[in-house]
PDB file of all heavy atoms in Angstrom:
ATOM      1  N   ARG A   1       2.971 -17.420  -6.406  1.00  0.00           N
ATOM      2  CA  ARG A   1       4.114 -17.211  -5.531  1.00  0.00           C
ATOM      3  C   ARG A   1       5.293 -16.655  -6.324  1.00  0.00           C
ATOM      4  O   ARG A   1       5.367 -16.786  -7.531  1.00  0.00           O
ATOM      5  CB  ARG A   1       4.509 -18.536  -4.859  1.00  0.00           C
ATOM      6  CG  ARG A   1       3.389 -19.140  -4.015  1.00  0.00           C
ATOM      7  CD  ARG A   1       3.740 -20.547  -3.572  1.00  0.00           C
ATOM      8  NE  ARG A   1       2.626 -21.159  -2.855  1.00  0.00           N
ATOM      9  CZ  ARG A   1       2.472 -21.116  -1.546  1.00  0.00           C
ATOM     10  NH1 ARG A   1       3.367 -20.492  -0.806  1.00  0.00           N
ATOM     11  NH2 ARG A   1       1.430 -21.689  -0.968  1.00  0.00           N
ATOM     12  N   GLY A   2       6.243 -16.034  -5.622  1.00  0.00           N
ATOM     13  CA  GLY A   2       7.464 -15.638  -6.290  1.00  0.00           C
ATOM     14  C   GLY A   2       7.878 -14.204  -6.084  1.00  0.00           C
ATOM     15  O   GLY A   2       8.833 -13.751  -6.692  1.00  0.00           O
ATOM     16  N   GLY A   3       7.252 -13.416  -5.242  1.00  0.00           N
ATOM     17  CA  GLY A   3       7.628 -12.025  -5.035  1.00  0.00           C
ATOM     18  C   GLY A   3       6.414 -11.213  -4.613  1.00  0.00           C
ATOM     19  O   GLY A   3       5.272 -11.603  -4.857  1.00  0.00           O
ATOM     20  N   TRP A   4       6.661 -10.086  -3.980  1.00  0.00           N
ATOM     21  CA  TRP A   4       5.567  -9.229  -3.523  1.00  0.00           C
ATOM     22  C   TRP A   4       4.848  -8.606  -4.729  1.00  0.00           C
ATOM     23  O   TRP A   4       5.472  -8.196  -5.696  1.00  0.00           O
ATOM     24  CB  TRP A   4       6.114  -8.129  -2.641  1.00  0.00           C
ATOM     25  CG  TRP A   4       6.477  -8.570  -1.261  1.00  0.00           C
ATOM     26  CD1 TRP A   4       7.654  -9.132  -0.862  1.00  0.00           C
ATOM     27  CD2 TRP A   4       5.653  -8.488  -0.093  1.00  0.00           C
ATOM     28  NE1 TRP A   4       7.627  -9.410   0.484  1.00  0.00           N
ATOM     29  CE2 TRP A   4       6.401  -9.019   0.989  1.00  0.00           C
ATOM     30  CE3 TRP A   4       4.363  -8.027   0.150  1.00  0.00           C
ATOM     31  CZ2 TRP A   4       5.908  -9.093   2.280  1.00  0.00           C
ATOM     32  CZ3 TRP A   4       3.863  -8.089   1.435  1.00  0.00           C
ATOM     33  CH2 TRP A   4       4.614  -8.616   2.492  1.00  0.00           C
ATOM     34  N   GLN A   5       3.528  -8.513  -4.622  1.00  0.00           N
ATOM     35  CA  GLN A   5       2.716  -7.824  -5.622  1.00  0.00           C
ATOM     36  C   GLN A   5       1.882  -6.768  -4.901  1.00  0.00           C
ATOM     37  O   GLN A   5       1.348  -7.017  -3.825  1.00  0.00           O
ATOM     38  CB  GLN A   5       1.801  -8.792  -6.356  1.00  0.00           C
ATOM     39  CG  GLN A   5       2.540  -9.894  -7.109  1.00  0.00           C
ATOM     40  CD  GLN A   5       1.570 -10.838  -7.778  1.00  0.00           C
ATOM     41  OE1 GLN A   5       0.866 -10.471  -8.705  1.00  0.00           O
ATOM     42  NE2 GLN A   5       1.518 -12.072  -7.296  1.00  0.00           N
ATOM     43  N   PHE A   6       1.788  -5.597  -5.520  1.00  0.00           N
ATOM     44  CA  PHE A   6       1.070  -4.492  -4.896  1.00  0.00           C
ATOM     45  C   PHE A   6       0.079  -3.879  -5.886  1.00  0.00           C
ATOM     46  O   PHE A   6       0.425  -3.599  -7.037  1.00  0.00           O
ATOM     47  CB  PHE A   6       2.050  -3.408  -4.427  1.00  0.00           C
ATOM     48  CG  PHE A   6       3.022  -3.880  -3.384  1.00  0.00           C
ATOM     49  CD1 PHE A   6       4.306  -4.272  -3.754  1.00  0.00           C
ATOM     50  CD2 PHE A   6       2.662  -3.947  -2.048  1.00  0.00           C
ATOM     51  CE1 PHE A   6       5.211  -4.709  -2.803  1.00  0.00           C
ATOM     52  CE2 PHE A   6       3.559  -4.390  -1.095  1.00  0.00           C
ATOM     53  CZ  PHE A   6       4.836  -4.767  -1.466  1.00  0.00           C
ATOM     54  N   TRP A   7      -1.130  -3.695  -5.402  1.00  0.00           N
ATOM     55  CA  TRP A   7      -2.156  -2.945  -6.138  1.00  0.00           C
ATOM     56  C   TRP A   7      -2.459  -1.707  -5.325  1.00  0.00           C
ATOM     57  O   TRP A   7      -2.822  -1.806  -4.144  1.00  0.00           O
ATOM     58  CB  TRP A   7      -3.422  -3.783  -6.315  1.00  0.00           C
ATOM     59  CG  TRP A   7      -3.301  -4.861  -7.334  1.00  0.00           C
ATOM     60  CD1 TRP A   7      -3.707  -4.809  -8.640  1.00  0.00           C
ATOM     61  CD2 TRP A   7      -2.772  -6.174  -7.140  1.00  0.00           C
ATOM     62  NE1 TRP A   7      -3.444  -6.009  -9.267  1.00  0.00           N
ATOM     63  CE2 TRP A   7      -2.872  -6.863  -8.368  1.00  0.00           C
ATOM     64  CE3 TRP A   7      -2.212  -6.846  -6.047  1.00  0.00           C
ATOM     65  CZ2 TRP A   7      -2.443  -8.171  -8.532  1.00  0.00           C
ATOM     66  CZ3 TRP A   7      -1.781  -8.142  -6.209  1.00  0.00           C
ATOM     67  CH2 TRP A   7      -1.893  -8.800  -7.436  1.00  0.00           C
ATOM     68  N   ILE A   8      -2.319  -0.536  -5.940  1.00  0.00           N
ATOM     69  CA  ILE A   8      -2.398   0.717  -5.185  1.00  0.00           C
ATOM     70  C   ILE A   8      -3.398   1.673  -5.832  1.00  0.00           C
ATOM     71  O   ILE A   8      -3.363   1.899  -7.041  1.00  0.00           O
ATOM     72  CB  ILE A   8      -1.011   1.386  -5.110  1.00  0.00           C
ATOM     73  CG1 ILE A   8      -0.005   0.429  -4.454  1.00  0.00           C
ATOM     74  CG2 ILE A   8      -1.084   2.704  -4.353  1.00  0.00           C
ATOM     75  CD1 ILE A   8       1.431   0.909  -4.503  1.00  0.00           C
ATOM     76  N   ASP A   9      -4.273   2.231  -4.988  1.00  0.00           N
ATOM     77  CA  ASP A   9      -5.206   3.274  -5.423  1.00  0.00           C
ATOM     78  C   ASP A   9      -4.774   4.554  -4.733  1.00  0.00           C
ATOM     79  O   ASP A   9      -5.022   4.749  -3.546  1.00  0.00           O
ATOM     80  CB  ASP A   9      -6.643   2.895  -5.054  1.00  0.00           C
ATOM     81  CG  ASP A   9      -7.637   3.986  -5.433  1.00  0.00           C
ATOM     82  OD1 ASP A   9      -7.256   4.880  -6.209  1.00  0.00           O
ATOM     83  OD2 ASP A   9      -8.783   3.937  -4.948  1.00  0.00           O
ATOM     84  N   ARG A  10      -4.128   5.416  -5.499  1.00  0.00           N
ATOM     85  CA  ARG A  10      -3.605   6.657  -4.939  1.00  0.00           C
ATOM     86  C   ARG A  10      -4.630   7.759  -5.176  1.00  0.00           C
ATOM     87  O   ARG A  10      -4.714   8.332  -6.258  1.00  0.00           O
ATOM     88  CB  ARG A  10      -2.260   6.988  -5.599  1.00  0.00           C
ATOM     89  CG  ARG A  10      -1.372   7.956  -4.826  1.00  0.00           C
ATOM     90  CD  ARG A  10      -1.798   9.382  -4.977  1.00  0.00           C
ATOM     91  NE  ARG A  10      -0.822  10.320  -4.431  1.00  0.00           N
ATOM     92  CZ  ARG A  10      -1.030  11.625  -4.320  1.00  0.00           C
ATOM     93  NH1 ARG A  10      -2.182  12.152  -4.696  1.00  0.00           N
ATOM     94  NH2 ARG A  10      -0.095  12.404  -3.808  1.00  0.00           N
ATOM     95  N   GLY A  11      -5.448   8.051  -4.159  1.00  0.00           N
ATOM     96  CA  GLY A  11      -6.467   9.077  -4.269  1.00  0.00           C
ATOM     97  C   GLY A  11      -5.958  10.434  -3.834  1.00  0.00           C
ATOM     98  O   GLY A  11      -4.800  10.599  -3.435  1.00  0.00           O
ATOM     99  N   GLY A  12      -6.832  11.430  -3.895  1.00  0.00           N
ATOM    100  CA  GLY A  12      -6.439  12.772  -3.490  1.00  0.00           C
ATOM    101  C   GLY A  12      -6.300  12.907  -1.988  1.00  0.00           C
ATOM    102  O   GLY A  12      -5.541  13.745  -1.501  1.00  0.00           O
ATOM    103  N   THR A  13      -7.027  12.085  -1.227  1.00  0.00           N
ATOM    104  CA  THR A  13      -6.997  12.175   0.229  1.00  0.00           C
ATOM    105  C   THR A  13      -6.386  10.933   0.856  1.00  0.00           C
ATOM    106  O   THR A  13      -5.504  11.015   1.700  1.00  0.00           O
ATOM    107  CB  THR A  13      -8.420  12.389   0.777  1.00  0.00           C
ATOM    108  OG1 THR A  13      -8.992  13.540   0.156  1.00  0.00           O
ATOM    109  CG2 THR A  13      -8.386  12.584   2.278  1.00  0.00           C
ATOM    110  N   PHE A  14      -6.844   9.749   0.446  1.00  0.00           N
ATOM    111  CA  PHE A  14      -6.334   8.498   0.985  1.00  0.00           C
ATOM    112  C   PHE A  14      -5.689   7.662  -0.114  1.00  0.00           C
ATOM    113  O   PHE A  14      -6.071   7.750  -1.284  1.00  0.00           O
ATOM    114  CB  PHE A  14      -7.449   7.674   1.639  1.00  0.00           C
ATOM    115  CG  PHE A  14      -7.898   8.205   2.971  1.00  0.00           C
ATOM    116  CD1 PHE A  14      -9.123   8.831   3.109  1.00  0.00           C
ATOM    117  CD2 PHE A  14      -7.095   8.070   4.094  1.00  0.00           C
ATOM    118  CE1 PHE A  14      -9.544   9.329   4.333  1.00  0.00           C
ATOM    119  CE2 PHE A  14      -7.504   8.558   5.324  1.00  0.00           C
ATOM    120  CZ  PHE A  14      -8.732   9.191   5.448  1.00  0.00           C
ATOM    121  N   THR A  15      -4.732   6.853   0.293  1.00  0.00           N
ATOM    122  CA  THR A  15      -4.116   5.870  -0.599  1.00  0.00           C
ATOM    123  C   THR A  15      -4.333   4.489  -0.008  1.00  0.00           C
ATOM    124  O   THR A  15      -4.053   4.264   1.174  1.00  0.00           O
ATOM    125  CB  THR A  15      -2.613   6.137  -0.763  1.00  0.00           C
ATOM    126  OG1 THR A  15      -2.431   7.356  -1.494  1.00  0.00           O
ATOM    127  CG2 THR A  15      -1.927   5.001  -1.513  1.00  0.00           C
ATOM    128  N   ASP A  16      -4.864   3.579  -0.813  1.00  0.00           N
ATOM    129  CA  ASP A  16      -5.104   2.200  -0.383  1.00  0.00           C
ATOM    130  C   ASP A  16      -4.114   1.278  -1.076  1.00  0.00           C
ATOM    131  O   ASP A  16      -3.937   1.349  -2.299  1.00  0.00           O
ATOM    132  CB  ASP A  16      -6.532   1.780  -0.729  1.00  0.00           C
ATOM    133  CG  ASP A  16      -7.564   2.596   0.032  1.00  0.00           C
ATOM    134  OD1 ASP A  16      -7.721   2.343   1.237  1.00  0.00           O
ATOM    135  OD2 ASP A  16      -8.186   3.491  -0.567  1.00  0.00           O
ATOM    136  N   ILE A  17      -3.480   0.414  -0.296  1.00  0.00           N
ATOM    137  CA  ILE A  17      -2.509  -0.542  -0.832  1.00  0.00           C
ATOM    138  C   ILE A  17      -2.980  -1.954  -0.510  1.00  0.00           C
ATOM    139  O   ILE A  17      -3.206  -2.281   0.660  1.00  0.00           O
ATOM    140  CB  ILE A  17      -1.098  -0.326  -0.247  1.00  0.00           C
ATOM    141  CG1 ILE A  17      -0.624   1.113  -0.492  1.00  0.00           C
ATOM    142  CG2 ILE A  17      -0.104  -1.306  -0.859  1.00  0.00           C
ATOM    143  CD1 ILE A  17      -0.660   1.983   0.720  1.00  0.00           C
ATOM    144  N   VAL A  18      -3.149  -2.761  -1.542  1.00  0.00           N
ATOM    145  CA  VAL A  18      -3.451  -4.182  -1.363  1.00  0.00           C
ATOM    146  C   VAL A  18      -2.195  -4.953  -1.756  1.00  0.00           C
ATOM    147  O   VAL A  18      -1.648  -4.736  -2.838  1.00  0.00           O
ATOM    148  CB  VAL A  18      -4.639  -4.621  -2.239  1.00  0.00           C
ATOM    149  CG1 VAL A  18      -4.864  -6.123  -2.114  1.00  0.00           C
ATOM    150  CG2 VAL A  18      -5.896  -3.862  -1.831  1.00  0.00           C
ATOM    151  N   ALA A  19      -1.743  -5.831  -0.866  1.00  0.00           N
ATOM    152  CA  ALA A  19      -0.498  -6.562  -1.101  1.00  0.00           C
ATOM    153  C   ALA A  19      -0.747  -8.061  -1.085  1.00  0.00           C
ATOM    154  O   ALA A  19      -1.594  -8.554  -0.334  1.00  0.00           O
ATOM    155  CB  ALA A  19       0.541  -6.203  -0.034  1.00  0.00           C
ATOM    156  N   VAL A  20      -0.003  -8.753  -1.939  1.00  0.00           N
ATOM    157  CA  VAL A  20       0.029 -10.212  -1.904  1.00  0.00           C
ATOM    158  C   VAL A  20       1.471 -10.610  -1.607  1.00  0.00           C
ATOM    159  O   VAL A  20       2.395 -10.233  -2.331  1.00  0.00           O
ATOM    160  CB  VAL A  20      -0.439 -10.832  -3.235  1.00  0.00           C
ATOM    161  CG1 VAL A  20      -0.282 -12.348  -3.191  1.00  0.00           C
ATOM    162  CG2 VAL A  20      -1.884 -10.467  -3.515  1.00  0.00           C
ATOM    163  N   THR A  21       1.666 -11.342  -0.520  1.00  0.00           N
ATOM    164  CA  THR A  21       3.007 -11.755  -0.113  1.00  0.00           C
ATOM    165  C   THR A  21       3.543 -12.810  -1.067  1.00  0.00           C
ATOM    166  O   THR A  21       2.793 -13.407  -1.843  1.00  0.00           O
ATOM    167  CB  THR A  21       2.976 -12.330   1.310  1.00  0.00           C
ATOM    168  OG1 THR A  21       2.291 -13.590   1.280  1.00  0.00           O
ATOM    169  CG2 THR A  21       2.267 -11.387   2.277  1.00  0.00           C
ATOM    170  N   PRO A  22       4.856 -13.095  -1.017  1.00  0.00           N
ATOM    171  CA  PRO A  22       5.408 -14.165  -1.860  1.00  0.00           C
ATOM    172  C   PRO A  22       4.753 -15.518  -1.606  1.00  0.00           C
ATOM    173  O   PRO A  22       4.750 -16.383  -2.486  1.00  0.00           O
ATOM    174  CB  PRO A  22       6.891 -14.185  -1.464  1.00  0.00           C
ATOM    175  CG  PRO A  22       7.182 -12.793  -1.017  1.00  0.00           C
ATOM    176  CD  PRO A  22       5.920 -12.336  -0.333  1.00  0.00           C
ATOM    177  N   GLU A  23       4.162 -15.702  -0.412  1.00  0.00           N
ATOM    178  CA  GLU A  23       3.479 -16.963  -0.090  1.00  0.00           C
ATOM    179  C   GLU A  23       2.017 -16.967  -0.517  1.00  0.00           C
ATOM    180  O   GLU A  23       1.330 -17.965  -0.361  1.00  0.00           O
ATOM    181  CB  GLU A  23       3.560 -17.219   1.422  1.00  0.00           C
ATOM    182  CG  GLU A  23       4.976 -17.411   1.962  1.00  0.00           C
ATOM    183  CD  GLU A  23       5.731 -16.097   2.077  1.00  0.00           C
ATOM    184  OE1 GLU A  23       5.074 -15.057   2.325  1.00  0.00           O
ATOM    185  OE2 GLU A  23       6.969 -16.122   1.897  1.00  0.00           O
ATOM    186  N   GLY A  24       1.547 -15.820  -1.041  1.00  0.00           N
ATOM    187  CA  GLY A  24       0.182 -15.765  -1.530  1.00  0.00           C
ATOM    188  C   GLY A  24      -0.838 -15.218  -0.548  1.00  0.00           C
ATOM    189  O   GLY A  24      -2.036 -15.268  -0.814  1.00  0.00           O
ATOM    190  N   ARG A  25      -0.396 -14.684   0.591  1.00  0.00           N
ATOM    191  CA  ARG A  25      -1.336 -14.121   1.556  1.00  0.00           C
ATOM    192  C   ARG A  25      -1.742 -12.708   1.138  1.00  0.00           C
ATOM    193  O   ARG A  25      -0.920 -11.931   0.638  1.00  0.00           O
ATOM    194  CB  ARG A  25      -0.729 -14.093   2.958  1.00  0.00           C
ATOM    195  CG  ARG A  25      -0.505 -15.470   3.562  1.00  0.00           C
ATOM    196  CD  ARG A  25      -0.174 -15.366   5.051  1.00  0.00           C
ATOM    197  NE  ARG A  25       0.980 -14.509   5.288  1.00  0.00           N
ATOM    198  CZ  ARG A  25       2.234 -14.931   5.283  1.00  0.00           C
ATOM    199  NH1 ARG A  25       2.499 -16.221   5.034  1.00  0.00           N
ATOM    200  NH2 ARG A  25       3.230 -14.100   5.516  1.00  0.00           N
ATOM    201  N   LEU A  26      -3.007 -12.366   1.416  1.00  0.00           N
ATOM    202  CA  LEU A  26      -3.567 -11.073   1.028  1.00  0.00           C
ATOM    203  C   LEU A  26      -3.628 -10.152   2.235  1.00  0.00           C
ATOM    204  O   LEU A  26      -4.033 -10.558   3.321  1.00  0.00           O
ATOM    205  CB  LEU A  26      -4.974 -11.272   0.457  1.00  0.00           C
ATOM    206  CG  LEU A  26      -5.663 -10.074  -0.184  1.00  0.00           C
ATOM    207  CD1 LEU A  26      -4.943  -9.691  -1.466  1.00  0.00           C
ATOM    208  CD2 LEU A  26      -7.122 -10.415  -0.481  1.00  0.00           C
ATOM    209  N   SER A  27      -3.199  -8.888   2.049  1.00  0.00           N
ATOM    210  CA  SER A  27      -3.246  -7.914   3.134  1.00  0.00           C
ATOM    211  C   SER A  27      -3.524  -6.536   2.545  1.00  0.00           C
ATOM    212  O   SER A  27      -3.371  -6.329   1.340  1.00  0.00           O
ATOM    213  CB  SER A  27      -1.921  -7.903   3.909  1.00  0.00           C
ATOM    214  OG  SER A  27      -2.015  -7.084   5.047  1.00  0.00           O
ATOM    215  N   ALA A  28      -3.935  -5.591   3.407  1.00  0.00           N
ATOM    216  CA  ALA A  28      -4.278  -4.256   2.915  1.00  0.00           C
ATOM    217  C   ALA A  28      -3.888  -3.197   3.937  1.00  0.00           C
ATOM    218  O   ALA A  28      -3.744  -3.467   5.132  1.00  0.00           O
ATOM    219  CB  ALA A  28      -5.771  -4.164   2.625  1.00  0.00           C
ATOM    220  N   LEU A  29      -3.707  -1.962   3.452  1.00  0.00           N
ATOM    221  CA  LEU A  29      -3.289  -0.846   4.292  1.00  0.00           C
ATOM    222  C   LEU A  29      -3.846   0.437   3.706  1.00  0.00           C
ATOM    223  O   LEU A  29      -3.903   0.609   2.487  1.00  0.00           O
ATOM    224  CB  LEU A  29      -1.752  -0.781   4.338  1.00  0.00           C
ATOM    225  CG  LEU A  29      -1.107   0.390   5.083  1.00  0.00           C
ATOM    226  CD1 LEU A  29      -1.392   0.291   6.575  1.00  0.00           C
ATOM    227  CD2 LEU A  29       0.400   0.402   4.839  1.00  0.00           C
ATOM    228  N   LYS A  30      -4.281   1.354   4.586  1.00  0.00           N
ATOM    229  CA  LYS A  30      -4.779   2.666   4.160  1.00  0.00           C
ATOM    230  C   LYS A  30      -3.916   3.743   4.794  1.00  0.00           C
ATOM    231  O   LYS A  30      -3.654   3.721   5.999  1.00  0.00           O
ATOM    232  CB  LYS A  30      -6.234   2.852   4.579  1.00  0.00           C
ATOM    233  CG  LYS A  30      -6.822   4.202   4.164  1.00  0.00           C
ATOM    234  CD  LYS A  30      -8.228   4.382   4.699  1.00  0.00           C
ATOM    235  CE  LYS A  30      -9.234   3.546   3.949  1.00  0.00           C
ATOM    236  NZ  LYS A  30      -9.504   4.059   2.581  1.00  0.00           N
ATOM    237  N   LEU A  31      -3.460   4.702   3.966  1.00  0.00           N
ATOM    238  CA  LEU A  31      -2.641   5.811   4.440  1.00  0.00           C
ATOM    239  C   LEU A  31      -3.175   7.130   3.888  1.00  0.00           C
ATOM    240  O   LEU A  31      -3.850   7.152   2.846  1.00  0.00           O
ATOM    241  CB  LEU A  31      -1.182   5.648   3.985  1.00  0.00           C
ATOM    242  CG  LEU A  31      -0.395   4.459   4.513  1.00  0.00           C
ATOM    243  CD1 LEU A  31       0.955   4.376   3.806  1.00  0.00           C
ATOM    244  CD2 LEU A  31      -0.197   4.577   6.017  1.00  0.00           C
ATOM    245  N   LEU A  32      -2.858   8.223   4.562  1.00  0.00           N
ATOM    246  CA  LEU A  32      -3.129   9.536   4.006  1.00  0.00           C
ATOM    247  C   LEU A  32      -2.250   9.747   2.776  1.00  0.00           C
ATOM    248  O   LEU A  32      -1.063   9.436   2.804  1.00  0.00           O
ATOM    249  CB  LEU A  32      -2.832  10.622   5.036  1.00  0.00           C
ATOM    250  CG  LEU A  32      -3.819  10.749   6.206  1.00  0.00           C
ATOM    251  CD1 LEU A  32      -3.225  11.659   7.276  1.00  0.00           C
ATOM    252  CD2 LEU A  32      -5.143  11.297   5.733  1.00  0.00           C
ATOM    253  N   SER A  33      -2.837  10.279   1.703  1.00  0.00           N
ATOM    254  CA  SER A  33      -2.047  10.470   0.482  1.00  0.00           C
ATOM    255  C   SER A  33      -0.947  11.499   0.671  1.00  0.00           C
ATOM    256  O   SER A  33       0.138  11.373   0.101  1.00  0.00           O
ATOM    257  CB  SER A  33      -2.968  10.890  -0.673  1.00  0.00           C
ATOM    258  OG  SER A  33      -3.799   9.817  -1.057  1.00  0.00           O
ATOM    259  N   ALA A  34      -1.222  12.529   1.443  1.00  0.00           N
ATOM    260  CA  ALA A  34      -0.209  13.559   1.692  1.00  0.00           C
ATOM    261  C   ALA A  34      -0.032  13.722   3.191  1.00  0.00           C
ATOM    262  O   ALA A  34      -0.948  14.154   3.882  1.00  0.00           O
ATOM    263  CB  ALA A  34      -0.622  14.886   1.053  1.00  0.00           C
ATOM    264  N   ALA A  35       1.124  13.358   3.675  1.00  0.00           N
ATOM    265  CA  ALA A  35       1.478  13.540   5.086  1.00  0.00           C
ATOM    266  C   ALA A  35       2.962  13.872   5.147  1.00  0.00           C
ATOM    267  O   ALA A  35       3.783  13.045   5.550  1.00  0.00           O
ATOM    268  CB  ALA A  35       1.149  12.287   5.891  1.00  0.00           C
ATOM    269  N   PRO A  36       3.348  15.072   4.712  1.00  0.00           N
ATOM    270  CA  PRO A  36       4.767  15.411   4.598  1.00  0.00           C
ATOM    271  C   PRO A  36       5.525  15.328   5.914  1.00  0.00           C
ATOM    272  O   PRO A  36       6.746  15.182   5.912  1.00  0.00           O
ATOM    273  CB  PRO A  36       4.743  16.850   4.048  1.00  0.00           C
ATOM    274  CG  PRO A  36       3.366  17.354   4.333  1.00  0.00           C
ATOM    275  CD  PRO A  36       2.475  16.169   4.279  1.00  0.00           C
ATOM    276  N   HIS A  37       4.812  15.414   7.033  1.00  0.00           N
ATOM    277  CA  HIS A  37       5.484  15.301   8.323  1.00  0.00           C
ATOM    278  C   HIS A  37       5.832  13.857   8.651  1.00  0.00           C
ATOM    279  O   HIS A  37       6.573  13.585   9.599  1.00  0.00           O
ATOM    280  CB  HIS A  37       4.594  15.878   9.427  1.00  0.00           C
ATOM    281  CG  HIS A  37       3.249  15.220   9.536  1.00  0.00           C
ATOM    282  ND1 HIS A  37       2.320  15.267   8.506  1.00  0.00           N
ATOM    283  CD2 HIS A  37       2.686  14.498  10.538  1.00  0.00           C
ATOM    284  CE1 HIS A  37       1.235  14.607   8.881  1.00  0.00           C
ATOM    285  NE2 HIS A  37       1.430  14.126  10.098  1.00  0.00           N
ATOM    286  N   LEU A  38       5.288  12.911   7.838  1.00  0.00           N
ATOM    287  CA  LEU A  38       5.540  11.489   8.086  1.00  0.00           C
ATOM    288  C   LEU A  38       6.279  10.807   6.940  1.00  0.00           C
ATOM    289  O   LEU A  38       7.177   9.996   7.169  1.00  0.00           O
ATOM    290  CB  LEU A  38       4.219  10.755   8.337  1.00  0.00           C
ATOM    291  CG  LEU A  38       3.435  11.151   9.588  1.00  0.00           C
ATOM    292  CD1 LEU A  38       2.086  10.472   9.596  1.00  0.00           C
ATOM    293  CD2 LEU A  38       4.226  10.809  10.842  1.00  0.00           C
ATOM    294  N   TYR A  39       5.913  11.119   5.691  1.00  0.00           N
ATOM    295  CA  TYR A  39       6.524  10.464   4.535  1.00  0.00           C
ATOM    296  C   TYR A  39       6.297  11.312   3.288  1.00  0.00           C
ATOM    297  O   TYR A  39       5.412  12.172   3.247  1.00  0.00           O
ATOM    298  CB  TYR A  39       5.951   9.057   4.329  1.00  0.00           C
ATOM    299  CG  TYR A  39       4.448   8.963   4.481  1.00  0.00           C
ATOM    300  CD1 TYR A  39       3.588   9.366   3.459  1.00  0.00           C
ATOM    301  CD2 TYR A  39       3.886   8.459   5.650  1.00  0.00           C
ATOM    302  CE1 TYR A  39       2.208   9.286   3.601  1.00  0.00           C
ATOM    303  CE2 TYR A  39       2.509   8.370   5.802  1.00  0.00           C
ATOM    304  CZ  TYR A  39       1.675   8.779   4.769  1.00  0.00           C
ATOM    305  OH  TYR A  39       0.307   8.708   4.917  1.00  0.00           O
ATOM    306  N   ALA A  40       7.105  11.053   2.254  1.00  0.00           N
ATOM    307  CA  ALA A  40       7.033  11.837   1.018  1.00  0.00           C
ATOM    308  C   ALA A  40       5.927  11.350   0.099  1.00  0.00           C
ATOM    309  O   ALA A  40       5.270  12.152  -0.581  1.00  0.00           O
ATOM    310  CB  ALA A  40       8.373  11.802   0.294  1.00  0.00           C
ATOM    311  N   ASP A  41       5.705  10.040   0.048  1.00  0.00           N
ATOM    312  CA  ASP A  41       4.700   9.478  -0.860  1.00  0.00           C
ATOM    313  C   ASP A  41       4.033   8.288  -0.191  1.00  0.00           C
ATOM    314  O   ASP A  41       4.713   7.389   0.331  1.00  0.00           O
ATOM    315  CB  ASP A  41       5.350   9.048  -2.179  1.00  0.00           C
ATOM    316  CG  ASP A  41       4.375   8.318  -3.081  1.00  0.00           C
ATOM    317  OD1 ASP A  41       3.381   8.945  -3.509  1.00  0.00           O
ATOM    318  OD2 ASP A  41       4.593   7.125  -3.342  1.00  0.00           O
ATOM    319  N   ALA A  42       2.692   8.266  -0.217  1.00  0.00           N
ATOM    320  CA  ALA A  42       1.959   7.218   0.490  1.00  0.00           C
ATOM    321  C   ALA A  42       2.130   5.852  -0.166  1.00  0.00           C
ATOM    322  O   ALA A  42       2.212   4.829   0.532  1.00  0.00           O
ATOM    323  CB  ALA A  42       0.478   7.587   0.556  1.00  0.00           C
ATOM    324  N   ALA A  43       2.166   5.803  -1.491  1.00  0.00           N
ATOM    325  CA  ALA A  43       2.257   4.517  -2.188  1.00  0.00           C
ATOM    326  C   ALA A  43       3.552   3.788  -1.840  1.00  0.00           C
ATOM    327  O   ALA A  43       3.545   2.616  -1.445  1.00  0.00           O
ATOM    328  CB  ALA A  43       2.153   4.722  -3.698  1.00  0.00           C
ATOM    329  N   THR A  44       4.665   4.491  -1.963  1.00  0.00           N
ATOM    330  CA  THR A  44       5.947   3.849  -1.668  1.00  0.00           C
ATOM    331  C   THR A  44       6.122   3.625  -0.169  1.00  0.00           C
ATOM    332  O   THR A  44       6.769   2.655   0.247  1.00  0.00           O
ATOM    333  CB  THR A  44       7.105   4.682  -2.223  1.00  0.00           C
ATOM    334  OG1 THR A  44       6.965   6.051  -1.781  1.00  0.00           O
ATOM    335  CG2 THR A  44       7.105   4.664  -3.744  1.00  0.00           C
TER     336      THR A  44
END
């Protein structure tokens, strides 16, 4: 516990983000690595 932790795999097509909340819960998210019409960088 004590703060958000992020493990990120930034691929050429998809970016996968695994997060651990400050309470220790595990969650995940998949985004397109390049989607300039939506965001500048998938990881952030």
Side-chain angles (χ1 to χ4, degrees):
R1 300 170 184 268
W4 284 85
Q5 300 178 67
F6 298 98
W7 286 263
I8 302 172
D9 177 15
R10 200 282 190 187
T13 305
F14 286 107
T15 292
D16 296 285
I17 304 105
V18 176
V20 175
T21 70
E23 297 76 31
R25 293 192 304 272
L26 188 68
S27 187
L29 175 67
K30 180 185 286 288
L31 296 173
L32 288 168
S33 291
H37 58 297
L38 295 173
Y39 44 79
D41 173 64
T44 51

